[in-house]
């Protein structure tokens, strides 16, 4: 094999069920009362949530942590419990571009007003949230949690969130 391919294969990482369960467990150390977990993106975020729920449901239920199948379920629970804690999970955020694009889309910013490098992002819920849901998301204690991430992505997403007036958001990742 060519040396470039060998290097690429050596750096390739698989995020399997066990790694997801361990990562999500680490993300919720000392969980706040009534923590709710949902997927951040509709594709990989939903898969991460599903695998974590399959592995951790009983343990987390006993700790008062509740999995939500999708953001619609999350918003219904946030509506009934204003100011709650929510963790939106996904597999990775290395550049932060997809996470920023999701926040922009949910906030109703037209795609042609996004930074140029984000305008082709896919794998997000490409629609603005209804105002009620956006207000619920902005008023809860929101954590975006990734199995793999970087300090660069964390800073970029947190800045985008501040610019969009998400006052109670934090970004964390398990592995860098």
């Amino acid at each position: 094999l060519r040396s470039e391919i060998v290097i690429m294969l050596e750096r390739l990482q698989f995020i399997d069920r066990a790694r997801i369960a361990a990562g999500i467990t680490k993300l919720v150390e000392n969980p706040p009362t009534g923590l709710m977990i949902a997927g951040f993106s509709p594709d990989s975020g939903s898969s991460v949530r599903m695998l974590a729920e399959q592995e951790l449901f009983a343990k987390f239920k006993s700790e008062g942590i509740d999995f939500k199948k999708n953001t619609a379920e999350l918003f219904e629970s946030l509506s009934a419990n204003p100011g709650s804690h929510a963790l939106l999970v996904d597999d990775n955020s290395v550049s932060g571009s997809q996470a920023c694009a999701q926040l922009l889309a949910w906030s109703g910013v037209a795609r042609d007003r996004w930074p140029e490098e984000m305008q082709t992002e896919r794998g997000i819920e490409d629609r603005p949230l209804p105002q009620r849901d956006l207000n619920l998301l902005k008023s809860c204690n929101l954590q975006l949690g990734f199995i793999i991430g970087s300090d660069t992505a964390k800073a970029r997403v947190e800045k985008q969130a501040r610019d969009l007036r998400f006052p109670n958001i934090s970004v964390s990742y398990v592995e860098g």
Side-chain angles (χ1 to χ4, degrees):
L1 292 173
R2 292 181 35 186
S3 62
E4 296 87 4
I5 293 173
V6 170
I7 290 170
M8 183 181 72
L9 290 173
E10 289 174 343
R11 292 183 180 168
L12 187 64
Q13 296 187 46
F14 291 99
I15 305 175
D16 62 9
R17 181 182 294 263
R19 196 168 179 188
I20 287 170
I24 300 298
T25 299
K26 186 167 176 85
L27 286 170
V28 300
E29 285 178 341
N30 304 310
T33 303
L35 177 65
M36 295 175 272
I37 300 175
F40 184 42
S41 67
D43 298 328
S44 57
S46 181
S47 295
V48 167
R49 191 260 335 136
M50 178 195 65
L51 291 171
E53 183 175 12
Q54 289 172 353
E55 294 296 314
L56 301 168
F57 178 79
K59 176 184 185 303
F60 279 12
K61 185 174 177 76
S62 71
E63 296 174 11
I65 300 170
D66 191 18
F67 286 97
K68 301 299 177 186
K69 299 280 183 211
N70 50 48
T71 53
E73 238 183 64
L74 175 66
F75 295 136
E76 286 310 309
S77 292
L78 288 174
S79 179
N81 303 288
S84 296
H85 294 267
L87 169 61
L88 298 179
V89 296
D90 219 320
D91 60 349
N92 77 84
S93 184
V94 178
S95 72
S97 182
Q98 186 181 45
C100 288
Q102 184 61 81
L103 294 175
L104 287 162
W106 278 346
S107 297
V109 177
R111 195 177 271 262
D112 62 1
R113 293 186 46 221
W114 299 2
E116 189 173 337
E117 71 276 7
M118 284 185 215
Q119 291 181 11
T120 58
E121 279 296 335
R122 300 176 48 87
I124 63 170
E125 289 182 13
D126 198 7
R127 62 173 176 78
L129 290 175
Q131 193 60 51
R132 177 198 84 132
D133 295 348
L134 184 60
N135 291 342
L136 287 168
L137 203 57
K138 287 183 174 185
S139 67
C140 78
N141 295 294
L142 180 61
Q143 178 185 1
L144 305 180
F146 303 93
I147 305 302
I148 296 174
S150 70
D151 290 339
T152 301
K154 175 180 168 46
R156 185 177 188 189
V157 175
E158 287 176 344
K159 180 185 182 319
Q160 184 68 74
R162 282 190 309 274
D163 291 349
L164 293 169
R165 296 192 170 97
F166 282 84
N168 304 313
I169 195 169
S170 65
V171 178
S172 53
Y173 59 91
V174 179
E175 303 175 39

